[in-house]
Amino acid sequence: TKSKSFINKLINNKNKHLILSSSISQINFNLCNFLYLDNDAEVILCNFSNDSCIEYFEDIQNIIIKYWRINEKDNTIIYKDLYKLINENTKLVVIPHVNNILGSIINVKEIIHNIRLINNKVKIYVDGTAYLPHRNVDVYSNDCDFYAFSFQKFLGFKISVLYIKNNPSFEYDAFDKLMIGGIQY
């Protein structure tokens, strides 16, 4: 209870929905196996994300995957390229808070706001593992649906966290089953 209270304060989590696990990879694996997406739903991934925020999402069956890519001419991240990928079929966007390749901080709040202007039903997952050790996180203000990070990068503990804005639609009504993975509290 004290651990969850600390985490909620750390990320300004007002709804108190948290999943604890042994790693971001385990969280993403569990989430991808329980998250329900319609057939032919579009999911946008970033080619500059950590592998665990790509590979498990690529394994979701019967979805269409699009990639937000780094501009190859000058290795910059162009937000407009992401917005061009969003449409009424887009159900999930997975983005890093910090680009693992360039170290660029992504303006998550701006991106989420603009995505919601295009399609307000899109769920947005943010990988904050590389961000949290260096900056404050405010999941409430950012308005993301999912925010994941690892204490391994922050405090050295082998514990990872998934913030969930609302209790989403899962294939099985199994919110607690997302915490499988042998986590030692």
Side-chain angles (χ1 to χ4, degrees):
T1 305
K2 288 181 183 179
S3 297
K4 285 188 175 183
S5 178
F6 167 76
I7 295 167
N8 287 328
K9 288 177 186 173
L10 180 69
I11 64 172
N12 195 26
N13 178 9
K14 296 183 187 268
N15 73 18
K16 312 292 191 259
H17 293 150
L18 290 177
I19 300 298
L20 302 177
S21 189
S22 58
S23 68
I24 293 294
S25 294
Q26 186 68 58
I27 283 173
N28 290 341
F29 176 81
N30 294 350
L31 180 64
C32 289
N33 281 296
F34 286 102
L35 190 62
Y36 177 77
L37 295 171
D38 296 327
N39 287 342
D40 298 324
E42 293 182 7
V43 173
I44 298 174
L45 305 175
C46 303
N47 75 335
F48 49 87
S49 286
N50 183 290
D51 286 344
S52 72
C53 290
I54 297 174
E55 62 184 320
Y56 298 111
F57 293 93
E58 286 177 329
D59 289 342
I60 299 173
Q61 298 296 310
N62 302 317
I63 62 168
I64 297 166
I65 296 175
K66 296 180 177 180
Y67 290 93
W68 179 27
R69 300 182 183 280
I70 289 178
N71 182 331
E72 293 179 12
K73 293 177 186 173
D74 59 3
N75 292 323
T76 57
I77 299 167
I78 301 172
Y79 293 0
K80 288 180 185 177
D81 290 349
L82 169 62
Y83 305 143
K84 290 176 190 175
L85 299 172
I86 309 290
N87 62 49
E88 66 277 352
N89 297 320
T90 307
K91 303 300 182 205
L92 179 66
V93 176
V94 180
I95 57 174
H97 206 150
V98 170
N99 171 285
N100 283 355
I101 297 169
L102 304 173
S104 304
I105 296 174
I106 308 295
N107 188 337
V108 171
K109 189 172 186 172
E110 177 186 333
I111 285 176
I112 293 171
H113 172 76
N114 289 330
I115 288 172
R116 297 214 193 282
L117 290 175
I118 300 166
N119 178 345
N120 66 356
K121 294 180 182 177
V122 173
K123 299 294 183 195
I124 300 162
Y125 173 106
V126 179
D127 174 11
T129 299
Y131 184 85
L132 184 67
H134 307 287
R135 303 275 196 286
N136 292 329
V137 172
D138 186 341
V139 293
Y140 181 77
S141 175
N142 286 340
D143 194 31
C144 56
D145 297 288
F146 304 98
Y147 194 94
F149 63 91
S150 173
F151 279 108
Q152 184 177 4
K153 308 285 184 181
F154 183 52
L155 296 170
F157 303 131
K158 188 77 170 135
I159 297 174
S160 294
V161 177
L162 176 65
Y163 155 82
I164 301 175
K165 180 179 175 181
N166 298 312
N167 196 353
S169 297
F170 292 110
E171 187 171 346
Y172 308 101
D173 188 23
F175 189 81
D176 289 337
K177 287 186 179 181
L178 283 171
M179 250 192 293
I180 62 173
I183 183 65
Q184 301 277 328
Y185 296 97

